[in-house]
Amino acid sequence: MNIDRQEVLRYLGYRNAEPSPEVLHHIADCTEELLQACTPHHIFHREPLRLVSPNIVSFAGITVHSRSLFQHLTGCTEVILFAATLGSPVDLRLERCSKLSMSRAVIMQACAASLIESFCDECQEPIAVEAAAKGLYLRPRYSPGYGDFDIAHQRDFLTVLDCPKRIGLTMTDSFMLAPSKSVTAVIGLTAEPQSCHIAKCMTCQAKNCPFRKG
């Protein structure tokens, strides 16, 4: 696992501007602190996919009314339900930091966001290898809350994957994940070889991709 400094700077709003030495120092310091604190876990489950209509998809006993998810999964035959978390110690570090220094807390939040994405990408690598052996490719992760994919479906993911018991992942009454630096997502499996599954936006030519980061 690692924290991508360029990704952290993107989260912080740096584009062409150069960060100050102080900001770079805080990024390095927060990176070390989070890597020591995190207790990462993930879980996934593969399920058949049914594309019901242009705005309804079904998998694992879950029916989702979402045009954006339907479009994202078009061409897929199966999906992987995925969940990952950095663990509650990271939340404790973020909370403590917010009480001591808001400027440092903003940087630590950006570092934690980069770290959970990096962890998810790392977890997907063996899944991608196994899928490739069967002639399949992974679509990018698509999480409840993206587009018109109702965030209330967080509950379905946690239930199907038994996340509270297996990786200690729960949610609040407003469907926010706890610990906060966590992800639930559906990953499409398709025979189309142009699909991507991790953030390689700088080299990808798909300028209109909704996942593009730069």
Side-chain angles (χ1 to χ4, degrees):
M1 258 196 326
N2 62 78
I3 294 177
D4 184 337
R5 190 174 76 174
Q6 289 304 118
E7 189 74 352
V8 172
L9 292 173
R10 186 182 72 83
Y11 284 130
L12 292 173
Y14 287 90
R15 294 294 180 178
N16 299 318
E18 284 293 320
S20 68
E22 182 182 12
V23 168
L24 294 177
H25 171 76
H26 280 306
I27 290 174
D29 197 38
C30 289
T31 294
E32 182 177 355
E33 184 174 347
L34 288 172
L35 288 174
Q36 290 178 355
C38 70
T39 54
H41 296 285
H42 79 287
I43 190 171
F44 64 92
H45 186 66
R46 188 168 170 172
E47 287 281 345
L49 168 68
R50 191 161 67 97
L51 298 170
V52 181
S53 73
N55 63 350
I56 301 176
V57 302
S58 177
F59 49 82
I62 305 167
T63 299
V64 181
H65 294 257
S66 168
R67 184 172 294 274
S68 62
L69 184 60
F70 178 92
Q71 292 172 344
H72 181 67
L73 294 177
T74 295
C76 297
T77 55
E78 298 177 88
V79 294
I80 291 169
L81 277 68
F82 177 87
T85 181
L86 294 182
S88 56
V90 167
D91 275 13
L92 294 175
R93 297 296 179 101
L94 292 170
E95 182 180 359
R96 185 178 68 180
C97 188
S98 68
K99 294 177 180 177
L100 298 175
S101 169
M102 283 308 301
S103 59
R104 180 179 168 86
V106 169
I107 293 173
M108 186 169 281
Q109 284 281 356
C111 288
S114 172
L115 183 57
I116 184 61
E117 290 300 313
S118 174
F119 178 56
C120 289
D121 289 344
E122 181 180 295
C123 293
Q124 282 183 228
E125 286 297 343
I127 300 174
V129 170
E130 182 179 347
K134 300 176 181 178
L136 297 173
Y137 300 84
L138 273 60
R139 290 278 172 87
R141 295 184 295 273
Y142 206 95
S143 297
Y146 285 6
D148 60 352
F149 185 8
D150 195 334
I151 197 171
H153 284 292
Q154 299 274 38
R155 186 188 307 280
D156 297 322
F157 281 73
L158 299 187
T159 299
V160 171
L161 294 172
D162 198 16
C163 289
K165 182 182 295 184
R166 300 183 69 180
I167 62 172
L169 178 58
T170 62
M171 69 178 191
T172 67
D173 291 340
S174 56
F175 308 109
M176 296 293 103
L177 295 175
S180 64
K181 295 309 173 188
S182 304
V183 167
T184 63
V186 59
I187 304 167
L189 287 167
T190 176
E192 298 173 3
Q194 71 270 23
S195 300
C196 64
H197 73 279
I198 58 176
K200 295 182 178 177
C201 302
M202 293 300 100
T203 57
C204 179
Q205 299 304 308
K207 303 297 184 183
N208 295 322
C209 175
F211 300 94
R212 190 166 182 84
K213 298 183 178 180

